[in-house]
Each structure stands twice: as structure tokens, then as C-alpha cells.
Amino acid sequence: MYRQEQIKPYCQHEEKGKQMEQMFNTIAPTYDALNHRLSWNIDKYWRNKAISYLCQFQPKTILDVATGTGDFALLAARRITPDHILASDISEGMMDIGKQKADKEKLADIVSFQRQDCMSLDISNDNFDAVMSAFGIRNFPSLDKGLAEMCRVMKPGGHLVIIELTHPIAFPMKQLFNFYSHHVLPFVGRLISKDRNAYDYLTKTIDVFPQGEEMMHILKKAGFKEPRYKRLTFGICTMYMATK
């Protein structure tokens, strides 16, 4: 078990998946505004970098795991124009907002939203040209199991791209990010989202989540080939890429 899997937002005796669903349903109304504000809108740049990577392969079918409010899926729909994107998440509250955005942007014919448990996707093997996830795998109850599911549903020759918050390793960004993530982020998160635990949980999981070379080994163990990574914005975010 990886250390972030032991961290839960509310109580230790309750199953993590259920707590994730509860937490994201609670913070859904303020999630987008907080994400953009707390990252100074740099999260949009990170998503664009990941989609730029996928653009070169022109996937026709895409699965977005832990889609949240659908920003990653909708960006892929606009820039890649695939035949279909399945945006999946455990939180209906988050996806309701994503559906509204898809309708507003007239992308509902490309992007469909579906409640799925990332630990056991109700999807057949070898189904998608590309699988992606933005800021979601850190919340998996089991990282190995969730990644293995993502690999299972991807077609041979398909492409994986993941972006995830990580901890910078070089001075002075390491020290600056440490102060920001432990003091500013939880305070603002509690103030706006009205959930005292959600953004404390976020900070704790960033601190211990596997990154860099360790994630390369984890991706290989899940069944992916040729894993590699690129640190973005001084290592605050990392993009992981692999094939099947």
C-alpha cells in the first residue's frame, strides 16, 4: 500500500472510495473556481500540455478517468476532435457540472459522462485509443489497481497521459511550495469550499504521492510500456506518458 492510500479526508474506519465520493460531491460547486484560483490558472497550461501530447496521435476514442467537472475531457474534445470521449468519475455532483459545461459548449455529442468506479471499470478490454487523467490518480483507493484498469481498457498501441500534482525537489521552489501547500492552500480551501477536511487532505496526499522514477516502476507494474515523465512549472505538476 502506498502512503497516500492510507490518507482519508474524514475518518479512518470508513472505506476511502466512499469518502472520496462524499468529499467531491460536497466541494463540487466551488471546485473549478478554487482550482483555477489556487493554481493561479496554471492548471489550464498543464492540461493544454497534456492534450498537446495526445494531439500528435489523433485518438478517435478517449477515456478520461476521474474527470471531475470535465475540464480535461472538454479541452480534448475541442483540440483533438475525436469521435467520442467517455468522461468517468465516482462523483455525480462533479459530473453534473461537467454535463452543464458540455451542453453550453455544444460538446455533448462528443463527451458523455458516466459514473464509474476507477477500481473496477465497467468497460470491456482494449476499448480506447487513449486514456487520460488530470489530478485524479492521487485519490485512487489503490493506485496499482486503478492504473491496471486504465491499462486494461486501452487498445494495444494506445497512449496514456496523466498530469498530477507533485512536490518540487529543488531549492527554492521546494520551500516555497511547501509553505504555500501547507498554509495558504488549506486556509483558502476551507474558507471557500466550507469543507474543513478536503484541502488538508489534498496537501497531505501531495506530500507522499509517488513521483518521478518511482512512478515509472508503478506504471510498468500496471502493464504500461515505455513510461516517461516531464516535470512542469518547477515540478509542481508532473506529466506521465506511456503506451500499451
Side-chain angles (χ1 to χ4, degrees):
M1 177 179 281
Y2 304 105
R3 286 184 292 172
Q4 83 281 352
E5 295 171 6
Q6 301 172 36
I7 300 172
K8 301 175 182 179
Y10 300 118
C11 58
Q12 284 303 312
H13 65 269
E14 200 173 287
E15 193 242 323
K16 182 168 182 173
K18 291 180 180 178
Q19 292 191 47
M20 291 294 95
E21 183 175 8
Q22 177 188 347
M23 184 184 82
F24 283 113
N25 281 338
T26 300
I27 66 174
T30 59
Y31 182 80
D32 283 340
L34 264 174
N35 258 11
H36 303 325
R37 189 174 302 175
L38 290 171
S39 72
W40 300 80
N41 277 319
I42 303 173
D43 62 310
K44 296 177 182 178
Y45 163 75
W46 297 332
R47 289 188 185 90
N48 266 299
K49 288 289 286 186
I51 297 304
S52 292
Y53 168 76
L54 278 187
C55 276
Q56 63 186 307
F57 308 113
Q58 285 298 296
K60 295 300 180 185
T61 54
I62 301 172
L63 172 66
D64 182 22
V65 176
T67 192
T69 60
D71 278 355
F72 207 26
L74 296 171
L75 180 62
R78 291 193 299 269
R79 292 194 54 198
I80 302 175
T81 60
D83 294 336
H84 179 236
I85 298 176
L86 177 59
S88 68
D89 203 283
I90 199 170
S91 168
E92 295 279 9
M94 297 284 274
M95 288 192 294
D96 284 345
I97 294 170
K99 291 172 186 175
Q100 293 171 22
K101 290 193 285 190
D103 289 338
K104 184 178 179 180
E105 295 184 36
K106 296 181 169 43
L107 291 171
D109 56 335
I110 297 176
V111 182
S112 63
F113 290 82
Q114 188 176 103
R115 189 186 185 282
Q116 289 274 356
D117 182 352
C118 59
M119 296 295 96
S120 181
L121 295 169
D122 187 19
I123 299 168
S124 59
N125 296 348
D126 307 330
N127 209 288
F128 294 94
D129 297 321
V131 178
M132 61 186 198
S133 184
F135 316 117
I137 66 169
R138 195 181 65 259
N139 301 311
F140 285 1
S142 167
L143 181 59
D144 287 338
K145 194 171 182 180
L147 289 173
E149 279 292 275
M150 292 167 73
C151 186
R152 177 183 67 78
V153 301
M154 183 192 292
K155 292 178 182 177
H159 297 275
L160 172 78
V161 65
I162 291 168
I163 48 174
E164 188 54 83
L165 294 172
T166 47
H167 212 286
I169 57 177
F171 176 87
M173 187 54 68
K174 177 180 179 180
Q175 287 73 21
L176 290 171
F177 182 77
N178 188 61
F179 176 81
Y180 184 78
S181 65
H182 284 87
H183 299 283
V184 179
L185 191 152
F187 174 75
V188 176
R190 286 195 298 268
L191 193 67
I192 297 176
S193 74
K194 309 302 181 185
D195 188 312
R196 294 184 56 84
N197 299 298
Y199 288 86
D200 287 331
Y201 163 85
L202 172 67
T203 296
K204 291 175 182 175
T205 53
I206 295 171
D207 284 346
V208 301
F209 189 71
Q211 60 184 45
E213 292 300 326
E214 187 178 0
M215 269 297 295
M216 298 300 94
H217 296 298
I218 293 170
L219 287 168
K220 286 179 181 177
K221 185 166 62 171
F224 293 104
K225 306 297 181 186
E226 302 174 345
R228 54 207 182 281
Y229 67 96
K230 182 176 183 180
R231 296 188 186 277
L232 306 173
T233 317
F234 307 104
I236 295 173
C237 177
T238 301
M239 179 166 69
Y240 300 99
M241 300 146 284
T243 61
K244 177 178 175 182

